[in-house]
Amino acid sequence: MEGKGRKREPEGSLDCINVEFEYDDADRATAELAELYSYTEEPELRLNQKCFEEAFTSQVKNIRWTSLSSAQHRTHIMRLLDDLEVVNREKRLSAARAILYLAQGVFGECDSEADVIHWSRYNCFLLYQMGTFAAFLELLNMEIANSQACSSALRKPALSLADSTELRVILSVKYLLVETIRQELESDDSEWNVQRETFRAELAFPVHSDEPFAHLLFTMVTKFCSGHSPHFPMKKVLLLLWKVILFTLGGFSELQKMKEKKRSELGLPPLPEDSIQVMKNMRAMSPLSYGIELGEQQKRGRRSRRDSLDLYNEKDPFKSEEPSGPEEEENEDTDNIMDTEADMQERDLISQPLINLRNNTERVSFPRGLPWAPKVSDTDTLVGLPRPIHESVKTLKQHKYISISDIQTKKEMELEQCPILLGEEEVEETPCECLYRAMLLNIPHYMIALLKILLAAAPTSKAKTDSINILADVLPEEMPITVLESMKLGIDVNRHKEIIVKTVSAILLLLLKHLKLNHIYQFEFMSQHLVFANCIPLILKFFNQNIMSYICAKNSISSLDFPSCVLHELPELTAESLETGDNNQFCWRNLFSCINLLRILNKLTKWKHSRTMMLVVFKSAPILKRALKVKQAMMQLYVLRLLKLQTKYLGRQWRKSNMKTMSAIYQMVRHRMNDDWAYGNDLDARPWDFQAEECTLRGNIESFNSRRYEKNPGWEFTPVDNCLQSVVGQRLELPEDFHYTYELWLEREVFSKPINWEELLQYS
């Protein structure tokens, strides 16, 4: 992590800017379309148009696509689909480019971005209706199995765009179909809505194959990371995988609805609030001051205002005294912390009002000044609770929270203990269940592959000879020779990496959230393999940078974004204009990535003592506190949650030195009434002290997977067949090549082994 000699990060007015960021499933539609293409692919956009016009004008003279009737559109699409089945590879590619041009919105006949979006939407629904997705799935399978392309890529010292031409065209068509059709608009007619649901089911459930489409894309990711197929255009594969998961499993709003429905089915009370909606209405706090407050107060020669939590800490007779020596890392490497602010800022922080919550206020009564309804996980034990709450057990029971995970864990325990009495479990065939079953055997490989790509794309990573090459689908065949071209390519490469970080973080977060809702042990299985693959230190390494610079990075050239680059004359690019960048306050995708990674880290460490200790051992507190400089409420909240997890292991001295952080946690993070985060102390704890928890969890996961997904889950309880004729008469499935080696098998297994007939006859 960060050493003491590191220079302090530059701080300016950016630290105080209130970031107006709307967290959602994805960015606005035009931004998501633009990120599909790298700037080096720009010439291919005109090539797509040329291929379409050549095929179109050979059939129709002097008429534009936008002037034809729907029946004529269908006729021409059928001709193009027929051309996809010809033997000639160049002709197939030309037809695929023509179809891609249709999916892109026939921009050559449009005057504005709105026209391009309109025709792209119309054409995508029409293309899907004509069977284009299925046709391109066959082409994709052909390219994945193309051993000639793989061997050619392996022999090349350096790969470029030219090595993935066919794959990029195929994946672009499929991405545009998925991304366009998944977005529901009020203006959509009923036929389009029916097509959307049909398409969703086709992607989620195996129809033409034995696996969901997302699983095929996961296999492409592992083939790329294993080095067998280095030419795969990984950015497009990951973008398509993300949107397929988002479409088939559902986004955050769908997750909330599914969670409420499941709680209702299990007889649990409704959720007190929608977490994301609460966070959207929270107000960001000003950057905290992280000076050593005690030292400052001694210099001033006046007594400090004591925090009520610390007062209770001293009066608690049940708590043993701590050593008064200096704390480990954060007393504090002043090279790694932010500048201190005036005392007035602390008072403002504590007293600043919250924006009134717009949603769900009628269902819950919030404690005054706090945004969250408190939760209680246990109403039986009173250990660790302050004295006033000893007399308020009624309050605890009022806020008793039972999660879906608690019910699932209890049910799984009952199924393990009484398998015959309870019978076989009825498992609902949801898209998430179907995907998990297909991924189950390879989840460890998929997690390692995604984290390898995330590591290669992280701005803090250094290029290594043994790392994977994620730039094969952005580098041109001929490298730039001028300074301006080099700057443009540099921006393109940085943008390419940012998009990959965005997609990987979104994929991991969506899978974790959906698996947790589907079954807690599916979530725990994926979580454990992420932890085993060093996901926690990887995310901390990602945040060990000037995070404000990353969020405000300007690695975009708006005039080169699609569809602007094909609708308007390109302005003259200069080195000054490229350095200045656009006028956006921040980069949406980078802030989205940061929040996703923080949410993943929260998911992995919540209620897991050994993983929380990993945060402490890797000295995450100063890294996380620097991220609080970003004045965005949602990001600050997830940082504070991670700090709250660690406070009992960091100790009392750390809390005294970071009282403003403690105040921020108290103000913004949900309270669990019997959580000792504010006064508990466990300074001597080490990660290996909690390994028994991880081992027990792993055993429970293996039992769950074995019971639900093995072919013969109840083999221990099946009756034994003792009849010799019945056993000998069973038909066994033998390998196809068995008859070639049958005589050898007889010689080795039968004739060459002595048989004790007397012993054998005793058992007959």
Side-chain angles (χ1 to χ4, degrees), residues 684-716:
D684 298 326
R686 294 294 178 265
W688 47 86
D689 296 340
F690 305 103
Q691 285 306 303
E693 294 179 14
E694 289 286 345
C695 293
T696 303
L697 178 60
R698 190 171 188 179
N700 293 338
I701 294 167
E702 289 175 355
S703 298
F704 165 76
N705 286 332
S706 173
R707 181 189 61 76
R708 186 182 277 198
Y709 300 108
E710 281 189 5
K711 291 183 179 178
N712 299 311
W715 64 271
E716 293 181 359

Side-chain angles (χ1 to χ4, degrees), residues 325-338:
E327 199 54 42
E328 345 175 63
E329 20 132 359
E330 290 188 58
N331 255 3
E332 185 128 343
D333 287 348
T334 52
D335 295 329
N336 294 336
I337 58 178
M338 291 179 248

Side-chain angles (χ1 to χ4, degrees), residues 382-396:
L382 300 178
V383 175
L385 293 174
R387 281 202 191 85
I389 299 183
H390 279 253
E391 303 171 1
S392 305
V393 178
K394 184 178 178 181
T395 305
L396 295 181

Side-chain angles (χ1 to χ4, degrees), residues 1 612-620 646 685-688:
M1 297 303 154
T612 303
M613 282 303 303
M614 288 179 71
L615 294 178
V616 178
V617 169
F618 288 121
K619 301 188 185 300
S620 66
Q646 304 176 61
R686 294 294 178 265
W688 47 86

Side-chain angles (χ1 to χ4, degrees), residues 91-111:
K91 192 170 183 181
R92 281 206 313 270
L93 179 59
S94 180
R97 285 192 179 280
I99 291 173
L100 175 56
Y101 176 71
L102 287 176
Q104 288 170 336
V106 288
F107 50 78
E109 301 178 19
C110 299
D111 299 321

Side-chain angles (χ1 to χ4, degrees), residues 753-764:
K753 291 193 175 182
I755 299 173
N756 189 334
W757 292 102
E758 291 182 359
E759 186 177 354
L760 180 64
L761 289 171
Q762 287 179 2
Y763 295 99
S764 62

